[in-house]
């Protein structure tokens, strides 16, 4: 801004205030531009429910936006120690466990506040010594906190002093850690629900076997063989998990088959055979009453279809048969 002579004090004050206002707006715009990518990161984090993949995403995104040479993410475990769960730029040969209060990450865990260190930063000598011992020129450690509780620490390091971490980096990583905390808690909650679901499925599978001792251990073997086939075919992990569940429950419909048919020791009559052949559809209807079981329901319904179209209940042939059902048919026959 400019002040033209002659001027009165009020003109000078107004000009100075205007300059300060413009400067503040420019700084806010720069800050907003820096934080825009975090909204995209947030969407990616909250959409990932597999805890292992989620931690990798957090590490990768943090490295991407800070230019860190090394990144590690540690979670607080039941033993009260930080355990490294994901990393980038670090060669891990054995499990890494750190007690609160030990080293940079331990200090952050104990104090539950971010730590920014470089050659100019004021910090306890023990922390600076820890950084020097590792040849790190600039370090940034930020706690991951959820509902006032520490759930982990993310550690970043630069091995040169060309472009050390700044306060802006600390702010950005702190925001990212807030998002990460929500995502981690969501993933953990989802895992608990998944585990409960698996428990229900296992209980149902046991119910089937309890009715028919002839098939004892059959569903467990089915799940094992089906998963091996699915893995060999290169199916994604979520599809392999669906195949496993379908294998465990493929004969759930036999609950609706009368004992005098299900447990008959001799050959079935034509009428009895037709009743027995209804068990895939019965199982499919049972699964339709459970949340997120649509895919599994279809696999169960068609696991007795044959590739030549001579199977049941729908007489599907070839690739009309769902891939999961084809896998189960092979495993079941074997």
């Amino acid at each position: 801004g400019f002040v033209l002579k002659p001027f009165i004090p009020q003109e000078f004050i107004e000009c100075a205030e205007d300059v300060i206002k413009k400067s503040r707006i420019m700084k806010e715009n720069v800050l907003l531009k820096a934080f825009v990518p975090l909204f995209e990161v947030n969407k990616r984090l909250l959409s990932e429910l597999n805890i292992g993949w989620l931690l990798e995403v957090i590490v990768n995104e943090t490295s991407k936006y800070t230019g860190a040479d090394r990144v590690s993410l540690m979670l607080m475990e039941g033993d009260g120690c930080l355990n490294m769960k994901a990393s980038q730029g670090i060669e891990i040969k054995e499990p890494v466990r750190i007690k609160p209060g030990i080293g940079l990450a331990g200090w952050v865990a104990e104090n539950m506040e971010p730590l920014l260190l470089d050659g100019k930063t004021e910090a306890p000598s023990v922390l600076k010594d820890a950084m020097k011992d590792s040849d790190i020129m600039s370090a940034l450690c930020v706690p991951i906190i959820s509902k006032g509780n520490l759930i982990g620490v993310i550690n970043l390091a630069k091995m040169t002093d060309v472009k050390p971490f700044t306060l802006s980096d600390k702010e950005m990583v702190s925001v990212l850690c807030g998002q990460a905390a929500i995502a981690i808690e969501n993933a953990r909650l989802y895992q608990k629900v998944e585990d409960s679901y698996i428990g229900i499925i296992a209980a149902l599978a046991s119910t089937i076997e309890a009715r028919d001792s002839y098939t004892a251990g059959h569903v467990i073997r089915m799940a094992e063989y089906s998963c091996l086939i699915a893995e060999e075919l290169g199916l994604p992990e979520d599809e392999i998990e669906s195949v496993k569940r379908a294998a465990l429950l493929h004969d759930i419909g036999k609950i609706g088959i009368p004992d005098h048919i299900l447990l008959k020791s001799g050959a079935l009559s034509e009428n009895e055979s037709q009743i027995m052949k209804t068990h895939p559809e019965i199982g499919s209807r049972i699964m339709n009453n459970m949340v997120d079981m649509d895919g599994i329901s279809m696999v169960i319904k068609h696991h007795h279809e044959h590739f030549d179209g001579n199977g049941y209940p729908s007489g599907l042939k070839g690739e009309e048969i769902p891939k999961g059902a084809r896998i189960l048919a092979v495993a079941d026959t074997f």
Side-chain angles (χ1 to χ4, degrees):
F2 297 90
V3 179
L4 302 177
K5 295 179 181 180
F7 61 85
I8 60 173
Q10 185 59 35
E11 288 178 307
F12 181 82
I13 291 170
E14 289 176 357
C15 183
E17 287 177 344
D18 187 50
V19 170
I20 291 169
K21 183 179 179 181
K22 288 179 181 177
S23 176
R24 186 180 297 118
I25 291 172
M26 288 174 67
K27 287 179 180 177
E28 288 175 354
N29 285 341
V30 170
L31 195 61
L32 282 172
K33 286 180 181 178
F35 279 94
V36 164
L38 287 177
F39 293 107
E40 292 300 317
V41 173
N42 188 39
K43 286 194 290 186
R44 284 198 290 277
L45 295 186
L46 293 179
S47 65
E48 183 54 71
L49 295 174
N50 181 293
I51 189 73
W53 294 343
L54 171 62
L55 300 182
E56 292 293 340
V57 171
I58 295 171
V59 165
N60 292 337
E61 294 295 339
T62 306
S63 174
K64 176 181 175 182
Y65 287 107
T66 61
D69 298 314
R70 297 178 182 175
V71 183
S72 66
L73 192 154
M74 313 185 85
L75 293 183
M76 183 65 75
E77 301 289 351
D79 60 2
C81 292
L82 290 167
N83 286 261
M84 188 179 295
K85 297 295 184 179
S87 64
Q88 185 171 301
I90 304 173
E91 186 179 349
I92 307 298
K93 295 182 179 179
E94 56 185 36
V96 178
R97 295 173 67 257
I98 295 177
K99 293 182 179 179
I102 306 298
L104 305 185
W107 186 93
V108 169
E110 190 171 64
N111 292 275
M112 291 179 66
E113 60 181 67
L115 176 65
L116 174 59
L117 278 178
D118 57 32
K120 303 174 184 177
T121 308
E122 290 295 326
S125 58
V126 65
L127 295 180
K128 287 196 171 186
D129 291 342
M131 192 173 78
K132 287 178 182 177
D133 290 342
S134 59
D135 296 325
I136 295 172
M137 300 303 296
S138 180
L140 176 58
C141 301
V142 181
I144 303 173
I145 299 171
S146 175
K147 300 175 184 176
N149 298 314
L150 180 84
I151 62 175
V153 174
I154 192 160
N155 309 294
L156 298 88
K158 290 188 177 181
M159 311 312 291
T160 68
D161 57 1
V162 175
K163 194 177 179 182
F165 293 116
T166 64
L167 291 174
S168 294
D169 290 324
K170 186 170 81 169
E171 285 185 39
M172 187 178 73
V173 176
S174 294
V175 172
L176 192 146
C177 283
Q179 298 170 340
I182 296 171
I184 290 170
E185 290 293 280
N186 284 347
R188 284 176 168 174
L189 181 59
Y190 180 79
Q191 187 63 54
K192 286 181 181 178
V193 174
E194 285 283 283
D195 291 344
S196 297
Y197 239 154
I198 294 297
I200 293 170
I201 289 172
L204 287 170
S206 298
T207 302
I208 302 164
E209 292 197 340
R211 289 196 67 210
D212 186 3
S213 59
Y214 177 76
T215 60
H218 171 63
V219 294
I220 301 301
R221 294 192 299 274
M222 272 284 291
E224 181 182 351
Y225 296 145
S226 297
C227 285
L228 289 171
I229 295 170
E231 289 170 3
E232 186 68 21
L233 290 173
L235 268 59
E237 190 172 326
D238 58 334
E239 290 187 33
I240 294 173
E241 184 62 30
S242 292
V243 166
K244 177 182 178 181
R245 295 181 186 184
L248 287 171
L249 290 168
H250 73 287
D251 277 343
I252 185 72
K254 287 183 177 178
I255 288 175
I257 304 300
D259 282 350
H260 73 273
I261 296 176
L262 182 67
L263 306 179
K264 187 175 180 180
S265 58
L268 299 179
S269 68
E270 180 62 30
N271 183 56
E272 290 170 338
S273 180
Q274 290 303 315
I275 293 173
M276 179 64 85
K277 287 181 178 181
T278 64
H279 80 269
E281 291 180 287
I282 295 172
S284 179
R285 288 198 296 272
I286 292 172
M287 288 298 99
N288 281 335
N289 293 322
M290 298 182 72
V291 179
D292 295 330
M293 287 289 187
D294 294 346
I296 292 174
S297 171
M298 291 302 293
V299 171
I300 290 173
K301 181 177 180 179
H302 297 297
H303 77 275
H304 277 296
E305 304 285 0
H306 291 173
F307 212 69
D308 61 4
N310 289 325
Y312 61 89
S314 304
L316 300 182
K317 63 170 61 176
E319 295 189 3
E320 293 175 351
I321 307 168
K323 185 176 289 185
R326 283 180 262 156
I327 290 172
L328 260 63
V330 172
D332 199 11
T333 303
F334 175 70

